[in-house]
C-alpha cells in the first residue's frame, strides 16, 4: 500500500511480566494491522536479542515449538535487519511502539535504543521510564509535585543483610499489617502484606529474590484501588475518567488482574467516587504527565482511603496500553492506539544542535603528557 507507515511494535523482554507483554504487544499489532499500518511485531526473547516473523498473529504463536521458527533480527538505524549469513534489511521503521512491561523494556533502556538509532518513539522516553520504573523514585517525584503519597521507605538488599533488625523496627513503626514491594517489578508480582514479624521477614526475602531494592508502605484497611490514564493527542493532554478495580484480597493480586476472563474482573468505570476526589485524581495524573513532559500513554494508580487519594505508581507501559480507559468498544480502542502512533508521526521531536568544539584538531592535547592537562 502506497505511503503505508511501518510501525515496529516491541514486546517481551527479560522481565517477570514477559507473558503479559506478549499479550499487549500482539493486541497492538493486530489493532494497527486492521487500521492499515504495516505493523511489525518485534519480539524480545527472555534470553536476549530480537526476533520477528510474518507468522506472528496471536499469543498462541509464542508457544515454544513455534517460537523456534522466528527470524533473529537486530536494529541498524531505523532498519530491522535479519542477522546471520543471510543478512537482509527486512523493514525500515517510521515509528516504534513500546509494549514491554517491566525489565529493560519499561525502565528506559529500550527507549534509549530507539533514540540511539534515530527511531521516532510513540511511548514515554528514557528519563520518565527510568524514574517511574523505580517505586522509590516514583514516590519522591510525586511528593515533589505536592501529590500525596502513603508513608513509605526504601530498603536496599545490602541494608537488609547488614541491619535487618533495624529495618524490621522501622517497618513496624507503621503498625501491622505492612506492605513490602520489590522496587522495580509490576503486576503485583512479589508484593506481600505482612501481618507479623515472621511474615515481614519472609516478605523481604521474597522481594530480594526478585529485585535489588524493596519499598515498605503503610497499609490502608479501607483502601480503594483507582486508576487514571493520560496521553497526548492532537498536541493536547487528555485524561481518562477514573476506574476502580475491586479486589477480594488485601491487595489487588496478579491473579485478579490477569487470570480468568477479562469480563469477569470486577471494576467500575467510571469509578463511583465523590466528585472532588475524582477531580483530584485526574488533576494529579495530568500534573505528572505535563510536568515530566511525558509522551505516549501512561496509567497512574492511586489508593483512596477515606476522603484522601494517595499516588501509588505510574505505569509507563500500561496493560493493553490503557486503551479501555479511553474507549469502550474495540473500534474506539483501535482509534486510540492509532492516535498514539499518529501523534508520534505528525509531531516528531526536533533534533537539537550539538556543539563541536574542534579541540581534537588542536595540537595542545597531542602527546602522552596531554592527558594530565586540566
Amino acid at each position: 500500500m502506497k505511503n503505508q507507515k511501518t510501525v515496529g511494535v516491541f514486546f517481551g523482554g527479560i522481565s517477570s511480566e514477559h507473558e503479559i507483554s506478549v499479550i499487549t504487544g500482539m493486541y497492538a499489532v493486530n489493532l494497527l494491522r486492521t487500521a492499515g499500518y504495516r505493523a511489525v511485531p518485534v519480539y524480545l526473547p527472555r534470553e536476549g536479542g530480537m526476533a520477528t516473523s510474518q507468522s506472528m498473529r496471536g499469543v498462541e504463536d509464542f508457544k515454544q515449538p513455534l517460537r523456534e521458527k522466528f527470524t533473529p533480527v537486530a536494529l541498524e538505524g531505523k532498519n530491522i535487519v535479519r542477522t546471520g549469513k543471510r543478512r537482509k534489511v527486512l523493514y525500515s521503521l517510521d515509528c516504534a511502539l513500546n509494549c514491554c512491561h517491566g525489565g529493560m523494556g519499561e525502565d528506559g533502556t529500550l527507549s534509549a535504543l530507539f533514540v540511539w538509532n534515530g527511531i521516532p518513539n510513540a511511548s514515554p522516553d528514557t528519563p520518565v521510564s527510568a524514574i517511574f520504573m523505580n517505586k522509590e523514585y516514583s514516590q519522591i517525584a510525586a511528593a515533589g509535585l505536592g501529590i500525596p503519597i502513603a508513608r513509605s521507605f526504601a530498603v536496599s538488599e545490602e541494608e537488609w543483610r547488614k541491619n535487618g533488625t533495624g529495618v524490621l523496627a522501622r517497618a513496624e513503626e507503621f503498625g501491622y499489617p505492612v506492605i513490602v514491594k520489590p522496587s522495580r517489578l509490576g503486576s503485583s508480582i512479589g508484593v506481600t502484606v505482612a501481618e507479623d514479624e515472621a511474615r515481614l521477614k519472609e516478605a523481604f526475602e521474597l522481594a530480594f529474590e526478585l529485585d535489588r531494592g524493596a519499598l515498605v508502605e503503610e497499609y490502608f484497611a479501607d483502601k480503594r484501588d483507582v486508576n487514571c490514564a493520560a496521553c497526548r493527542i492532537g498536541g493536547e493532554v487528555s485524561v481518562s475518567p477514573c476506574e476502580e478495580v475491586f479486589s477480594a484480597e488485601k491487595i489487588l493480586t496478579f491473579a485478579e488482574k490477569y487470570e480468568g476472563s477479562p469480563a469477569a474482573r470486577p471494576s467500575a468505570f467510571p469509578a463511583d467516587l465523590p466528585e472532588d476526589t475524582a477531580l483530584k485524581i485526574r488533576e494529579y495524573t495530568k500534573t505528572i504527565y505535563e510536568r515530566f513532559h511525558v509522551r505516549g500513554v501512561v496509567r497512574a494508580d492511586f489508593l483512596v482511603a477515606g476522603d484522601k487519594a494517595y499516588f501509588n505508581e505510574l505505569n509507563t507501559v500500561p496493560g493493553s496500553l490503557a486503551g479501555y480507559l479511553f474507549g469502550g468498544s474495540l473500534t474506539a480502542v483501535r482509534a486510540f492506539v492509532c492516535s498514539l502512533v499518529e501523534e508520534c508521526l505528525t509531531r516528531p521531536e526536533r533534533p537539537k544542535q550539538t556543539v563541536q568544539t574542534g579541540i581534537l584538531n588542536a595540537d595542545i592535547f597531542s602527546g602522552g603528557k596531554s592527558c594530565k592537562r586540566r
Side-chain angles (χ1 to χ4, degrees):
M1 185 182 299
K2 189 177 181 180
N3 297 325
Q4 184 183 40
K5 296 299 183 180
T6 302
V7 182
V9 180
F10 292 74
F11 56 92
I14 305 170
S15 166
S16 297
E17 300 173 84
H18 180 97
E19 292 87 353
I20 306 303
S21 176
V22 171
I23 296 170
T24 296
M26 289 310 302
Y27 180 61
V29 165
N30 288 320
L31 288 174
L32 291 170
R33 281 173 172 168
T34 58
Y37 293 90
R38 182 186 290 109
V40 180
V42 184
Y43 174 57
L44 281 59
R46 288 184 185 276
E47 58 270 20
M50 296 180 180
T52 190
S53 173
Q54 292 285 351
S55 66
M56 292 181 186
R57 299 293 174 185
V59 296
E60 63 275 5
D61 298 321
F62 291 81
K63 295 179 180 179
Q64 191 60 44
L66 297 175
R67 283 175 45 190
E68 295 172 0
K69 299 180 181 179
F70 295 166
T71 302
V73 295
L75 280 179
E76 293 184 9
K78 295 183 179 181
N79 296 327
I80 295 179
V81 179
R82 182 173 63 200
T83 57
K85 295 181 179 179
R86 298 172 61 232
R87 181 189 177 280
K88 179 183 177 182
V89 175
L90 301 179
Y91 306 98
S92 181
L93 300 182
D94 295 299
C95 171
L97 181 65
N98 183 4
C99 292
C100 292
H101 301 307
M104 289 185 286
E106 193 170 356
D107 71 358
T109 303
L110 185 60
S111 58
L113 187 63
F114 297 154
V115 172
W116 182 259
N117 284 279
I119 302 171
N121 182 10
S123 305
D125 63 10
T126 297
V128 169
S129 301
I131 290 170
F132 288 101
M133 182 69 174
N134 186 305
K135 292 179 173 60
E136 177 188 1
Y137 301 164
S138 296
Q139 299 281 297
I140 294 171
L145 294 176
I147 298 172
I149 59 172
R151 287 187 300 162
S152 65
F153 68 91
V155 183
S156 68
E157 183 173 9
E158 180 181 14
E159 183 181 1
W160 168 247
R161 302 301 176 201
K162 287 183 177 180
N163 185 28
T165 301
V167 171
L168 291 173
R170 189 176 177 188
E172 288 171 342
E173 291 178 2
F174 290 166
Y176 288 111
V178 65
I179 298 177
V180 178
K181 305 176 178 180
S183 291
R184 300 169 183 83
L185 271 64
S187 296
S188 300
I189 296 171
V191 179
T192 305
V193 179
E195 298 181 332
D196 54 41
E197 183 177 298
R199 186 66 174 136
L200 184 56
K201 291 179 181 178
E202 292 175 359
F204 280 118
E205 292 299 331
L206 174 61
F208 293 126
E209 282 183 15
L210 301 171
D211 203 345
R212 302 187 304 274
L215 190 74
V216 182
E217 288 183 347
E218 66 176 314
Y219 177 77
F220 298 108
D222 61 342
K223 59 90 180 171
R224 301 169 66 181
D225 294 284
V226 177
N227 305 324
C228 182
C231 64
R232 191 181 301 275
I233 296 176
E236 299 296 326
V237 177
S238 177
V239 181
S240 77
C242 296
E243 174 198 32
E244 180 175 5
V245 183
F246 302 111
S247 172
E249 306 295 334
K250 288 185 172 63
I251 56 169
L252 189 60
T253 65
F254 178 91
E256 289 176 313
K257 290 179 179 179
Y258 299 112
E259 296 177 4
S261 168
R265 296 170 195 151
S267 65
F269 182 72
D272 184 14
L273 293 168
E275 185 176 347
D276 61 336
T277 301
L279 181 60
K280 282 181 181 178
I281 289 173
R282 298 182 78 239
E283 287 177 345
Y284 294 154
T285 303
K286 187 175 184 180
T287 295
I288 292 172
Y289 195 96
E290 291 183 331
R291 294 292 294 276
F292 280 90
H293 308 286
V294 182
R295 64 166 174 256
V297 62
V298 297
R299 191 193 73 232
D301 298 347
F302 293 84
L303 299 175
V304 176
D307 61 353
K308 196 166 186 178
Y310 300 89
F311 171 80
N312 191 30
E313 62 183 20
L314 188 79
N315 296 274
T316 57
V317 184
S320 301
L321 298 179
Y324 59 94
L325 296 178
F326 290 94
S329 67
L330 188 61
T331 300
V333 174
R334 178 172 58 195
F336 169 74
V337 174
C338 291
S339 71
L340 298 178
V341 170
E342 287 302 313
E343 185 72 14
C344 173
L345 293 172
T346 59
R347 292 179 176 81
E349 288 195 349
R350 293 175 58 189
K352 300 300 181 182
Q353 182 179 350
T354 56
V355 175
Q356 298 186 39
T357 64
I359 62 172
L360 294 181
N361 294 322
D363 59 7
I364 58 173
F365 288 97
S366 61
K369 294 182 179 181
S370 65
C371 62
K372 296 182 180 179
R373 185 182 182 96
R374 288 186 176 91

